[in-house]
Amino acid sequence: MQPFIPFILFSLLFPATSSMAQQPLTLRGQVVNARSGAPLPGSSVSIPALSIHTLTNDQGLFVLKLPSLQAADSCIVSHIGYGTRRFRMDRDETGRYPLTEQSLSLHAFQVNSISPRNLIEKAVQHIPENYLASPHVLRGFYRLTSIWSSAPDGDFPRFDMTDLPLDMPN
């Protein structure tokens, strides 16, 4: 009977630790200019490992609700004209994220102006290159998928799928 005591204790503790690891987290804060403390609206805040991204509002504030967090996950905060800041996350965080101004040198480039009339004339000249001249059919599909959490009889989930093929002859 004694060999089962560690197993029972482990099985009782394991669900608690796995549920703690999957608790959703909230990352919130304000992105500001490091020198002046002014908010930076439109800053990018992202968690690349989770493919979660957002932008700050007019006051430089953001909120990210994360489904889970791994120990190696990091957050990247960036803004045009400022350096990028990367930091590790290990819990719910709230804070100010100052970014320092950083200049970026670009190679020389040329900006050309074209009148709207010339643009349309060029587009019309390239119609033969951009469109098929022979008769053809364009085919597309529209798919609607529905999963119902409970079927009318309550025994199993219901899955509905509707496909609509679209043929557009030219």
Side-chain angles (χ1 to χ4, degrees):
M1 193 75 152
Q2 294 221 6
F4 292 109
I5 292 175
F7 176 76
I8 292 171
L9 288 174
F10 178 77
S11 64
L12 290 175
L13 291 176
F14 181 71
T17 57
S18 66
S19 66
M20 286 190 306
Q22 297 302 318
Q23 288 180 350
L25 299 172
T26 301
L27 176 67
R28 65 183 73 228
Q30 183 179 34
V31 180
V32 296
N33 181 316
R35 190 169 39 105
S36 68
L40 294 175
S43 297
S44 171
V45 181
S46 64
I47 315 294
L50 300 174
S51 297
I52 296 176
H53 310 276
T54 191
L55 296 175
T56 60
N57 66 9
D58 292 341
Q59 292 82 36
L61 299 171
F62 69 91
V63 175
L64 280 176
K65 296 194 183 272
L66 310 172
S68 65
L69 189 64
Q70 304 298 324
D73 285 346
S74 62
C75 180
I76 297 176
V77 180
S78 62
H79 190 81
I80 295 175
Y82 291 82
T84 299
R85 181 175 178 202
R86 177 185 292 261
F87 59 93
R88 288 182 49 144
M89 300 176 308
D90 56 357
R91 62 187 178 349
D92 285 357
E93 291 198 25
T94 301
R96 288 171 60 96
Y97 302 95
L99 297 180
T100 55
E101 294 178 18
Q102 181 179 16
S103 62
L104 177 66
S105 297
L106 297 175
H107 297 288
F109 60 92
Q110 182 177 358
V111 177
N112 295 326
S113 171
I114 187 168
S115 72
R117 181 179 179 90
N118 288 344
L119 181 64
I120 291 172
E121 287 174 356
K122 278 188 171 186
V124 169
Q125 289 172 357
H126 290 288
I127 286 176
E129 299 167 27
N130 295 330
Y131 294 94
L132 294 173
S134 61
H136 61 279
V137 175
L138 296 175
R139 173 164 279 185
F141 293 93
Y142 174 77
R143 176 170 284 166
L144 176 66
T145 306
S146 302
I147 300 175
W148 300 81
S149 60
S150 61
D153 58 357
D155 288 339
F156 56 90
R158 197 171 91 199
F159 177 79
D160 294 332
M161 185 167 68
T162 304
D163 283 344
L164 175 66
L166 304 169
D167 288 339
M168 295 183 284
N170 178 11

